[in-house]
């Protein structure tokens, strides 16, 4: 093996020394070797306790569980959209946040999935009339335009037969 190849193996990812088995596990360190220096990096310790994700007591959880109802989406998601969409900033410009844009996209997707193409096109026309394309990000606008095109194609196929 050439000297250059040996230097390559000793540096970078392949140059990590994992230490010996006799080290105390509570103070594990990793030794890395590069072409110019060696350094000892302490291994990150796991957090002592895991954060409580819900912060609900058992009683509060049971109360919430009693009132919880499963949301069933059955092709009527578009009826829950509120117009005008987005919000108006202090300078008078309109903006839409990502969750609102996703709601509109999901409503159109749902109508497309249930083959309710006319309603999907009507919803998109209402969205474009209300907000225009400039309100959405580029990807969302492209997806909405794609669904509009596909719904138009499906309607022409159905009406052409």
């Amino acid at each position: 093996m050439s000297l250059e190849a040996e230097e390559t193996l000793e540096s970078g990812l392949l140059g990590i020394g994992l230490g010996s088995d006799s080290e105390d596990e509570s103070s594990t360190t990793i030794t890395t070797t590069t072409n110019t220096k060696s350094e000892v990096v302490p291994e990150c310790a796991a957090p002592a306790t895991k954060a409580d994700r819900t912060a609900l007591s058992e009683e509060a959880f049971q109360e919430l569980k009693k009132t919880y109802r499963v949301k069933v989406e059955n092709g009527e998601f578009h009826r829950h959209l509120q117009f005008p969409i987005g919000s108006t900033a202090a300078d008078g410009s309109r903006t839409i946040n990502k969750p609102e844009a996703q709601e509109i996209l999901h409503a159109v997707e749902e109508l497309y999935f249930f083959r309710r193409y006319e309603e999907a096109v009507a919803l998109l026309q209402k969205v474009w009339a209300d907000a225009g394309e400039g309100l959405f990000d580029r990807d969302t606008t492209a997806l909405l335009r794609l669904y509009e095109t596909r719904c138009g194609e499906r309607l022409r196929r159905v009406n052409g037969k």
Side-chain angles (χ1 to χ4, degrees):
M1 187 180 294
S2 70
L3 182 59
E4 189 175 302
E6 286 180 24
E7 286 178 5
T8 303
L9 287 174
E10 291 177 5
S11 64
L13 290 175
L14 299 176
I16 296 174
L18 298 177
S20 67
D21 292 337
S22 63
E23 290 184 69
D24 181 27
E25 289 186 22
S26 64
S27 62
T28 304
T29 59
I30 298 175
T31 305
T32 61
T33 307
T34 62
N35 288 342
T36 57
K37 63 180 180 176
S38 293
E39 59 183 306
V40 176
V41 181
E43 191 174 318
C44 295
T49 59
K50 215 174 190 180
D52 184 16
R53 290 186 178 194
T54 60
L56 285 176
S57 66
E58 183 63 28
E59 296 81 27
F61 171 73
Q62 292 301 329
E63 191 62 37
L64 181 63
K65 186 176 173 183
K66 288 178 192 174
T67 61
Y68 180 77
R69 298 291 175 257
V70 176
K71 181 178 178 182
V72 178
E73 296 178 12
N74 58 358
E76 303 302 321
F77 191 72
H78 66 285
R79 297 190 190 276
H80 302 289
L81 296 177
Q82 296 183 6
F83 287 89
I85 57 175
S87 58
T88 305
D91 64 355
S93 64
R94 287 180 60 191
T95 59
I96 188 167
N97 61 30
K98 190 69 172 181
E100 290 173 317
Q102 288 295 311
E103 283 181 17
I104 293 167
L105 180 60
H106 293 317
V108 172
E109 289 173 331
E110 185 179 54
L111 289 170
Y112 181 83
F113 175 77
F114 285 113
R115 299 179 181 182
R116 295 164 61 186
Y117 307 122
E118 289 178 14
E119 292 177 64
V121 169
L123 175 62
L124 284 166
Q125 288 172 347
K126 187 175 178 181
V127 167
W128 301 138
D130 180 59
E133 289 184 22
L135 194 59
F136 298 99
D137 62 53
R138 183 174 37 101
D139 293 338
T140 304
T141 300
L143 275 172
L144 290 172
R145 284 293 179 196
L146 177 66
Y147 275 108
E148 186 175 38
T149 303
R150 286 187 175 176
C151 287
E153 290 170 357
R154 300 288 196 261
L155 283 172
R156 283 190 289 282
R157 271 193 223 158
V158 170
N159 294 335
K161 287 185 176 179

